[in-house]
Amino acid sequence: MYQVIRTEGEYEPWWFFEDWMDFIVESTEYADFQEAVVAYERAAEKLSVVYPFQKTKETYLTAYWSDGEIRFCENCDDDVQLYHGLMLLQDRKKLIQE
């Protein structure tokens, strides 16, 4: 199964830290890869309109953000950038590109 996942958190979606799933705000499953790609591209278009900055580190792993959108990080005792991540995964893991 493929998943198109949106996250909100203090780091970009390609890091896959131990707690990355805690930052999921939306997740949709697809049996077909092409359907998942279409859903990912639709979501990417919407996020691009809302957030002026974006960076894609690897295929289907993109972070979106606005300069002034910050949140307080308890662990680091400081304000940090809030990132909106968009991911297309297979079985909740990064896609293996051949």
Side-chain angles (χ1 to χ4, degrees):
M1 294 295 284
Y2 298 94
Q3 299 81 35
V4 174
I5 296 174
R6 280 193 325 103
T7 61
E8 287 182 3
E10 50 212 46
Y11 51 82
E12 299 92 335
W14 48 81
W15 289 110
F16 289 100
F17 292 126
E18 186 176 302
D19 64 345
W20 77 268
M21 285 195 249
D22 295 344
F23 296 97
I24 294 174
V25 294
E26 184 179 350
S27 179
T28 308
E29 299 248 339
Y30 300 89
D32 180 74
F33 177 68
Q34 288 306 319
E35 284 182 49
V37 168
V38 169
Y40 176 92
E41 290 173 347
R42 257 191 250 125
E45 285 176 24
K46 289 178 183 176
L47 288 167
S48 293
V49 170
V50 176
Y51 300 102
F53 302 104
Q54 73 181 59
K55 181 177 180 178
T56 301
K57 178 92 170 187
E58 298 182 41
T59 306
Y60 303 119
L61 298 174
T62 304
Y64 299 85
W65 70 96
S66 297
D67 268 344
E69 193 173 17
I70 58 172
R71 80 165 42 158
F72 185 75
C73 171
E74 300 269 337
N75 292 336
C76 49
D77 195 33
D78 201 2
D79 289 332
V80 294
Q81 179 67 53
L82 178 64
Y83 293 101
H84 302 269
L86 182 61
M87 317 160 84
L88 194 163
L89 305 178
Q90 183 174 17
D91 300 324
R92 298 211 179 255
K93 295 183 180 108
K94 188 168 51 168
L95 290 172
I96 305 296
Q97 298 294 312
E98 297 179 11

